[in-house]
Amino acid sequence: ETGVTQSPTHLIKTRGQQVTLRCSSQSGHNTVSWYQQALGQGPQFIFQYYREEENGRGNFPPRFSGLQFPNYSSELNVNALELDDSALYLCASSPYGTTDTQYFGPGTRLTVL
Amino acid sequence: DAKTTQPTSMDCAEGRAANLPCNHSTISGNEYVYWYRQIHSQGPQYIIHGLKNNETNEMASLIITEDRKSSTLILPHATLRDTAVYYCIVRVLINQAGTALIFGKGTTLSVSS
């Protein structure tokens, strides 16, 4: 059974650019959550997707957006990148819906110059 | 904001039990306590969770006080590979349907031989 996978592993962008990060949920998991982890801090909740709709959102501006596809995979899009967006972006999937245990992928390290 | 407080760091000798405390005095009646750990900026690894009763699995034991205002994660026989940042987390409901993990800064556990 394949766990949660994320791509790319590392990414370097310039301020003002746009970026798309991808997440494949663990087999059978239908809920995906995204988190941002700045250096030295704990992860912060961005949003959660269930049945292809945003199911809840943390304190992040609208330039952070996402998608979930019929196969439950997900994308995180960030527009107008800022230097403070440099972080480890983590995806987590849940097997039985929004209230079940979340299992994390390895993350994507984004550096904004 | 995080709903938990943990010591910044702890040390443990290899082979001994590691007891990691956590305070969550504002936890609500239907909110679960989760523990994850993170090694070298990899994705957080799920350890255990509980609501009211003590829990045990192959990795650890979770002791929750009767008033639910604090808990302790116990690693019965710590090894060098248990060196990591341990997060005590309260899982909160969002938009009455989804859930989010609210991370604090965690406890850095150092296991030495």
Side-chain angles (χ1 to χ4, degrees), chain B residues 36-55:
Chain B
Y36 284 76
R37 71 182 183 184
Q38 190 172 28
I39 302 172
H40 296 311
S41 291
Q42 299 174 14
Q45 177 189 22
Y46 166 75
I47 301 174
I48 199 167
H49 73 281
L51 183 63
K52 296 180 182 179
N53 299 321
N54 298 338
E55 302 287 346

Side-chain angles (χ1 to χ4, degrees), chain A residues 25-87:
Chain A
S25 60
Q26 191 166 328
S27 177
H29 289 197
N30 59 17
T31 301
V32 174
S33 304
W34 286 91
Y35 293 79
Q36 179 197 64
Q37 185 174 23
L39 201 60
Q41 304 295 318
Q44 282 193 294
F45 174 72
I46 303 175
F47 43 55
Q48 183 177 77
Y49 275 83
Y50 175 62
R51 291 183 175 177
E52 302 177 48
E53 292 191 0
E54 186 179 294
N55 196 50
R57 189 177 187 94
N59 189 27
F60 280 80
R63 60 189 185 85
F64 286 78
S65 63
L67 286 172
Q68 187 181 30
F69 301 98
N71 67 353
Y72 307 131
S73 66
S74 177
E75 287 182 354
L76 164 66
N77 298 291
V78 186
N79 293 322
L81 283 167
E82 301 177 359
L83 298 180
D84 286 348
D85 295 333
S86 294

